[in-house]
Amino acid sequence: MLIGLLMILIPAAVFLFTLPLSKRLKPGLRKVYVVLGGIVVFLGSAVSVYFAAFTGDQGGIAAFYFQILVIVVYAALTLSLIIINWIIPGREVDNVGD
């Protein structure tokens, strides 16, 4: 019970904790992170809770594996956005002389 609860709450806590850190991403990538990350974490956790609460023993097993999928997708999304942010050259703002 406790492990299941932690699996559902930890991704949301990590997402909320990393929101201030996402300011290091380029503006477009930050918007993608906030929208897609939020959808994956909160909607995915809600689906896992639904499986666990309303579909019996098999649903509990499905919720466990679905939440692992949510964690993997969120980690892949975060890692890919960090790599894209690092690869894409940014425009450096130079206000001197303007």
Side-chain angles (χ1 to χ4, degrees):
M1 170 85 174
L2 180 64
I3 291 177
L5 187 62
L6 287 175
M7 281 186 69
I8 290 171
L9 294 178
I10 293 296
V14 168
F15 175 73
L16 293 174
F17 177 74
T18 58
L19 277 179
L21 299 175
S22 68
K23 291 180 182 175
R24 294 182 179 187
L25 295 173
K26 291 176 178 58
L29 292 177
R30 183 175 195 274
K31 187 177 283 189
V32 168
Y33 174 76
V34 170
V35 171
L36 284 181
I39 288 172
V40 166
V41 168
F42 292 110
L43 189 62
S45 294
V47 170
S48 292
V49 168
Y50 174 79
F51 283 159
F54 298 110
T55 55
D57 291 338
Q58 295 297 324
I61 295 167
F64 174 77
Y65 287 116
F66 191 79
Q67 193 61 26
I68 289 177
L69 178 68
V70 166
I71 292 168
V72 167
V73 168
Y74 175 69
L77 172 72
T78 303
L79 186 62
S80 64
L81 288 177
I82 289 171
I83 291 171
I84 290 170
N85 189 59
W86 183 63
I87 291 176
I88 294 177
R91 289 186 234 159
E92 294 187 22
V93 178
D94 186 15
N95 292 331
V96 178
D98 288 335

